[in-house]
Amino acid sequence: DIQMTQSPSSLSASVGDRVTITCRASQSISKYLNWYQQKPGKAPKLLIYASSSLQSGVPSRFSGSGSGTDFTLTISSLQPEDFATYYCQQSYSTLFTFGPGTKVDIK
Amino acid sequence: QVHLQESGPGLVKPSETLSLTCTVSGGSITSYYWTWIRQPPGKGLEWIGSIYYIGATNYNPSLKSRVTISVDTSKNQLSLKLSSVTAADTAVYYCASQSEYSGHVNFDYWGQGTLVTVSS
């Protein structure tokens, strides 16, 4: 299995802050990396696919980068509706695996 | 836009079989791969398995001996069966569509999820 890790596991930030979340794969996955946002009691929502492609309808303040084993999700200016848990997920292997999540809450 | 809705018992006894159905609307079940993902309360996401409408399946090896995913094209539904359940199978179960862009697979449409509790 390809293991995914995320850091930090949680962070506190203010509206308007620039937020960066890191995801690391246990082996190279090229750019086969997706990011999801999940709010309490809701299903995850696809934000970014193929490391840096923005899913239709997702605000441009979200961006993704990286390749190989190290990836980053950036929120350029945190908005109130962005407080949520963020998960990365690899699709390099057809044994799809998710990271443990990063919870973003209000400072 | 594709809409997915999970349904099934919210309570299953240990050692029994968990059975869920996902009804797809707004699109044909023959147009995508489909997947089941679960999330234990307060924990992360675990991919269970995927299916293409012709019946080709791909299961998580950790669950493979207990999982069956199938498709009913006449009803535009997919189903999940998980046998010999234990308390560790207590989770919110999601169905999702599995899309591909230049070989990059992602889960783009999700159902709202259904909580299944395993308890006697």
Side-chain angles (χ1 to χ4, degrees):
Chain A
D1 304 10
I2 299 176
Q3 308 299 319
M4 308 300 293
T5 58
Q6 290 182 233
S7 61
S9 57
S10 65
L11 66 91
S12 296
S14 301
V15 172
D17 284 353
R18 181 181 182 89
V19 169
T20 300
I21 298 169
T22 298
C23 175
R24 178 165 288 174
S26 60
Q27 66 179 74
S28 177
I29 58 170
S30 185
K31 292 191 173 186
Y32 291 80
L33 192 283
N34 306 314
W35 289 98
Y36 300 85
Q37 175 195 66
Q38 186 178 33
K39 297 180 180 179
K42 301 294 186 181
K45 172 187 174 182
L46 177 66
L47 298 177
I48 302 282
Y49 62 94
S51 178
S52 60
S53 295
L54 196 66
Q55 174 70 349
S56 176
V58 174
S60 59
R61 63 181 179 272
F62 291 93
S63 63
S65 65
S67 66
T69 60
D70 295 320
F71 301 86
T72 298
L73 173 70
T74 299
I75 309 172
S76 61
S77 177
L78 197 67
Q79 297 302 300
E81 60 268 30
D82 301 336
F83 292 97
T85 299
Y86 294 84
Y87 293 94
C88 60
Q89 173 247 324
Q90 64 80 20
S91 62
Y92 182 84
S93 162
T94 55
L95 199 180
F96 305 113
T97 49
F98 292 86
T102 294
K103 185 176 181 180
V104 177
D105 61 21
I106 301 172
K107 181 183 286 183
Chain B
Q1 180 169 331
V2 175
H3 179 76
L4 300 95
Q5 179 69 58
E6 304 89 349
S7 59
L11 182 64
V12 180
K13 289 182 169 57
S15 80
E16 296 190 343
T17 296
L18 178 160
S19 295
L20 296 175
T21 297
C22 175
T23 301
V24 178
S25 58
S28 171
I29 204 162
T30 62
S31 299
Y32 291 89
Y33 279 79
W34 304 93
T35 198
W36 287 97
I37 292 163
R38 70 179 182 178
Q39 184 173 36
K43 297 187 178 181
L45 299 160
E46 180 181 32
W47 171 75
I48 298 170
S50 301
I51 188 168
Y52 193 46
Y53 79 97
I54 57 173
T57 54
N58 177 28
Y59 297 138
N60 190 322
S62 69
L63 299 168
K64 187 174 183 177
S65 63
R66 299 194 291 130
V67 171
T68 303
I69 296 175
S70 59
V71 166
D72 186 334
T73 56
S74 68
K75 296 181 178 178
N76 235 33
Q77 292 178 335
L78 65 153
S79 67
L80 168 70
K81 294 188 185 300
L82 181 65
S83 64
S84 304
V85 298
T86 70
D89 296 310
T90 293
V92 175
Y93 286 77
Y94 296 100
C95 58
S97 60
Q98 181 177 311
S99 294
E100 183 174 329
Y101 169 77
S102 296
H104 294 265
V105 171
N106 61 71
F107 308 124
D108 53 354
Y109 294 104
W110 296 63
Q112 66 185 24
T114 187
L115 174 63
V116 179
T117 301
V118 178
S119 175
S120 55

